[in-house]
Structure formats: C-alpha cells, structure tokens
Amino acid sequence: MEGEYIPREHWGSRTAFIMAAGGSAIGLGNIWKFPYITGVYGGAAFVMWYLFSILMIGLPVMLIEYAIGRRTQRSPVGAFKALAPGTFYWLIGAMGVLAGFIILSYYSVIAGWTLAYIFKALFGGFAGFHSPEVARQAFEAYATHPIRPLLTHAVFMFLVILIVYQGVKKGIERWNSILMPLLAVIVIVLAVRGITLKGVEAHLSALNGLKFLFAPDFTKLTGNGMLVAMGHAFFTLSLGMGAMLTYGSYLSERENLIKSALWVIVMDTAFALLAGVAIFTTVFALGFQPGSGPGLIFNVLPAIFAVMPGGGIMGVLFFLLLSIAALTSAISLLEVVTAYFVEQRGWVRHRAAVVWGIAIFLLGVPPALSFGVLGNIKLLGMTLFDLFDYLSFKYMLPLGGLFMVLFTIIRWKPVSLLQELRKGGSALRISNGAALALLIVSALFVAITFIAGLFGKN
Ligand code: TRP
C-alpha cells in the first residue's frame, strides 16, 4: 500500500554502504569480462574510452539511482510510484525486477563454473593442461555436462539466498564487509605475482602485459569496441535495473551520495584494472594470446596455471577471487527481487528470499544446460544462455538507464536530483540549467549505446 509506513533497515555506516555497492559493482564483469573485451578490442585505447564512458554514463545514472532510492526509501517499483503517483513510471522499476530474475539466473551459472574451478585447481585438476586446447576440452566437458553445472549453480544460489535471507545489516552488510577486503588482498597478490613473473623465453616479458593494458594505440579502437565499452560501463556498475537504487534506499540523509559514488567507481575501476594486470602480465610472460575472447578465463588461464611457478596456489586464488566477486554481485540482484516482494506484496523477507531464490535457480536451469543437452534449442538464433545475456545486457539495462535519466529530466526534474545530492554535506556548485545540460548529454550517450547496440553484432 502506498504511503504506508514500512520500517526500513539502514546501513550501519558509509563504509558499509560503499562496500556493499562496491561488492555489487565488482563482479564477473570486472574480472572475467573486462579483461577479455580489452583483449579483443585492442588494449589501452579501449580502456581509455571505457574510463570516459564510466564518467559520461556511469556516474550520472549511478547518482540518479542512489538519489531516487534514498529520497523515497523504497525499492524500484515503490520508488517510482512514490515520485510519480498515478503514472506508468513504475514500469521502469518492474523491468528492473524482471531483469534481476533474468540476470541472476544465468550469472549464477557462470559463478557456478568458477566455484567448480576452485576445486579443480585445489585438487590438481589443471596438471594435465599442456595447452589451452586441452584446457578448453576439459572445460567443455564440464560446461556441457547434463548435471555438474546444475550442482554448482545450485550451490551458488544457495549461498546467495543464505545471505539475502539474513537481511540488509546482518546479511548483505556483514558479508560484504568480510568478503570485499579479502577480494582486495587476493587481486593484489595475483597482480604482484603477475608483474614479477619472468618471461619463459627471452623475448617474453610481463611488462608487455602492462604495455598492452596501458599504452594506447587509438588506431585499434573500433566503433564496435566503443559501443561495447559504453555498454560495459552500465553492467560493471550494476546500473539500469534498480540494484543501486535499492541499495541507496537503505541510506540515511547523512551520507554524501557524490562521495560514495566516486568511491564505488574508483574501486570498481581499480579492480578491473588490477584483474587486467594480473591476467595480461601472466598471459604475456608465458607467451599466450590476449585476444581469445570469453574463454580467456577458463581455457587460457588454467593452461597457464598448469605451467607457471606457483600456479597451483594462484589458480585457487584466482577462481576464489571470481567466485567471491560474483557472490557479492549476485546478492544485489536477489535483493532487488526480494525487496520488491517484501515492500510491494507484503511478504516476509525470509520467505521472499527463499522462494524467489529457488525460482531463479529454476529459471537458470535451461540456460545452464544450453551449452550441452539443450544446445539445440534456439530462439531468435541464440542459445538460451545467449538470449538471456542479450535481453538483459543489451536491452533491459541500457533501456532502464535511459528511462531513469529521462524520468529525472522530464518528471522528477534536475532540481530535485540536485536537492537530494546536496544532502549529507555536499557543496555541489552546479546550477539547475547545467545539471539539465549534463543529464541531456548523458541521456544522448545512453541512447546511442542502446540504439547502436541494436544494430551492432556485439
Ligand atoms: N556489476 C556486476 C559485474 O560487474 C554485475 C551486476 C551485479 C549487475 N548486479 C547487477 C549488473 C545489476 C547489472 C545490474 O559483474
């Protein structure tokens, strides 16, 4: 019921919020996807454009989500209902909840693979990988298996449900404050190990990995690469479906939203770059190819861990890093769904987390099997996994983000956004007109990403 008082949990501190929002942002997108798209689209020039996209698209949408969440103290559907009663803007929130279902269902499948690979690394399962080809075959045997990927998908969803079940403070906040520092330690260890690797042959060097990542060659930057970078800016910051809006709704007015947003962006970018350093120094030192695409993590790296000094431990740490990063992101996806049912449908949290967590697990079963037994089922020419990825990543997130910016321009008004951003001691010196202009520019960027994405091949 609208306007009814709902007792709401709040984060224990600003750090807790930043850890949780950072935990959501830092995920498979940073450690699996960012390095491989950087590899495919040519390295440093791509990285620079990506950083620019983060500022042009990521920052404004993130601020809008935080501000709407905190202002209304509601999760997406309720938030739009509160700000624009009697309109259809709540559909933006509804699309977010739906996106939560879809994204988490297949995100958990990949996260399950990473869980499986921790154990593979732990029990010497990489030992026989003399080449990426051998590693690839082993990976395929696993991913196409009719049962094993389902088991790991189930284990992962179980962990996600467990944490969301415990609530905002005792669950999400507590686990993020434990797991995020651990994640930072692991990624730093891996990056240092990568940088200090000696090339296995005279002409090979870890430093070439750093060059690849940081020395730009703009002739390598393609239009398609630019679009991929812009789309990724959304995904990596968990924007466009109300996850950050929901986390923002657990904030009090004391917090400075702009500072928090900058922290989250810096952390997210730092993790992506550190993961890139860890991966590319290693890849280059051992003479492998950086541009091998999505399989970089599951084919190339295990083959590298099999031969590199200290590779056993590094393999375990690497897949632990991926699993933890995925877990802290997945929590935010289930939280959007859970918060909706708690707030708008009057469910108790425990029931909502368990019931919808299980539903999401079930929804993930077909895409999980689409690498193997269900591989022949194609919709719109895509496997179920690709379809889920495509629908959410290419349509729902950019569209959700675009609608949020438009909502702010047209209905909520930039002045209300500024008012919210100025709480918590931020001396934001920007006029309403300038804010409007910035919002229009960022709406254009988002619109371009979306429209061009419809026609591009990626
Ligand atoms: N940001 C996460 C990553 O980089 C993915 C993610 C988590 C996400 N929650 C989200 C993406 C919400 C979009 C919306 O892996």
Side-chain angles (χ1 to χ4, degrees):
M1 244 168 281
E2 268 164 53
E4 186 191 345
Y5 177 71
I6 302 157
R8 199 168 194 84
E9 282 193 86
H10 281 118
W11 305 109
S13 66
R14 176 142 70 99
T15 318
F17 168 67
I18 292 172
M19 290 288 172
S24 171
I26 297 160
L28 297 173
N30 301 62
I31 296 158
W32 164 66
K33 190 152 191 187
F34 175 77
Y36 100 66
I37 54 181
T38 302
V40 171
Y41 294 103
F46 175 86
V47 173
M48 299 191 78
W49 177 256
Y50 162 78
L51 293 177
F52 176 72
S53 310
I54 290 273
L55 287 182
M56 289 315 298
I57 300 180
L59 183 59
V61 178
M62 182 181 268
L63 288 174
I64 288 174
E65 287 208 28
Y66 286 177
I68 292 180
R70 183 174 70 182
R71 173 82 193 84
T72 59
Q73 298 285 299
R74 295 275 194 287
S75 66
V77 172
F80 288 101
K81 280 188 180 164
L83 289 182
T87 66
F88 284 105
Y89 283 109
W90 62 270
L91 286 170
I92 306 175
M95 185 167 74
V97 176
L98 190 64
F101 270 93
I102 298 180
I103 298 176
L104 183 50
S105 75
Y106 76 84
Y107 199 79
S108 165
V109 173
I110 311 184
W113 297 349
T114 67
L115 277 183
Y117 266 61
I118 300 179
F119 292 97
K120 214 178 179 76
L122 199 58
F123 297 113
F126 296 163
F129 293 172
H130 303 299
S131 72
E133 184 48 31
V134 181
R136 192 186 63 80
Q137 283 168 8
F139 174 64
E140 271 200 26
Y142 165 70
T144 59
H145 195 276
I147 297 166
R148 283 154 67 195
L150 294 185
L151 291 179
T152 46
H153 168 46
V155 172
F156 185 78
M157 277 311 298
F158 173 78
L159 296 173
V160 178
I161 293 170
L162 198 68
I163 295 176
V164 172
Y165 180 96
Q166 296 172 329
V168 176
K169 270 185 109 149
K170 291 212 185 91
I172 301 177
E173 172 171 330
R174 184 162 61 108
W175 283 102
N176 272 304
S177 356
I178 298 170
L179 295 175
M180 292 311 288
L182 183 62
L183 207 60
V185 172
I186 298 178
V187 81
I188 290 170
V189 169
L190 288 168
V192 170
R193 169 75 274 216
I195 294 173
T196 53
L197 274 176
K198 280 219 178 63
V200 284
E201 284 165 34
H203 68 284
L204 298 174
S205 155
L207 295 183
N208 290 334
L210 295 182
K211 257 192 225 145
F212 178 74
L213 204 52
F214 295 114
D217 171 359
F218 283 96
T219 60
K220 284 196 187 149
L221 188 61
T222 61
N224 198 25
M226 290 168 83
L227 288 175
V228 169
M230 286 156 80
H232 188 63
F234 254 93
F235 186 78
T236 190
L237 294 173
S238 302
L239 300 174
M241 48 82 64
M244 289 302 101
L245 193 158
T246 306
Y247 274 13
S249 75
Y250 304 127
L251 274 174
S252 75
E253 305 219 319
R254 268 172 307 153
E255 309 305 344
N256 181 327
L257 297 182
I258 298 179
K259 262 194 200 150
S260 303
L262 290 175
W263 267 109
V264 172
I265 286 180
V266 167
M267 273 169 52
D268 185 77
T269 308
F271 265 85
L273 292 175
L274 277 170
V277 166
I279 291 171
F280 289 121
T281 48
T282 312
V283 166
F284 276 87
L286 283 107
F288 287 85
Q289 288 305 319
S292 64
L296 186 64
I297 297 293
F298 292 104
N299 307 336
V300 180
L301 285 185
I304 292 179
F305 293 134
V307 294
M308 84 184 238
I313 298 267
M314 293 299 132
V316 175
L317 283 181
F318 182 77
F319 286 101
L320 192 62
L321 174 75
L322 272 169
S323 301
I324 294 176
L327 182 60
T328 53
S329 298
I331 298 169
S332 72
L333 289 162
L334 185 58
E335 179 60 22
V336 172
V337 175
T338 303
Y340 167 76
F341 280 94
V342 171
E343 214 180 87
Q344 299 293 311
R345 310 254 155 189
W347 288 43
V348 288
R349 166 175 287 272
H350 289 175
R351 181 151 151 252
V354 172
V355 168
W356 297 111
I358 292 175
I360 289 170
F361 164 75
L362 294 174
L363 186 64
V365 169
L369 296 179
S370 72
F371 295 89
V373 287
L374 297 185
N376 290 328
I377 301 181
K378 297 247 164 88
L379 288 172
L380 310 169
M382 288 175 274
T383 65
L384 292 171
F385 184 93
D386 290 339
L387 182 73
F388 277 34
D389 184 31
Y390 195 81
L391 272 182
S392 53
F393 177 47
K394 284 200 65 172
Y395 289 84
M396 299 175 104
L397 298 186
L399 215 50
L402 181 59
F403 286 149
M404 287 189 215
V405 181
L406 292 179
F407 170 80
T408 308
I409 294 175
I410 296 165
R411 172 83 201 206
W412 196 37
K413 304 291 180 208
V415 58
S416 318
L417 173 66
L418 288 181
Q419 193 183 23
E420 191 60 33
L421 293 179
R422 288 200 174 104
K423 291 176 185 164
S426 152
L428 186 59
R429 270 187 286 276
I430 175 174
S431 69
N432 294 339
L436 176 64
L438 283 174
L439 286 174
I440 291 175
V441 172
S442 98
L444 279 175
F445 266 92
V446 183
I448 291 172
T449 313
F450 175 65
I451 294 167
L454 296 183
F455 299 105
K457 53 186 175 341
N458 255 284

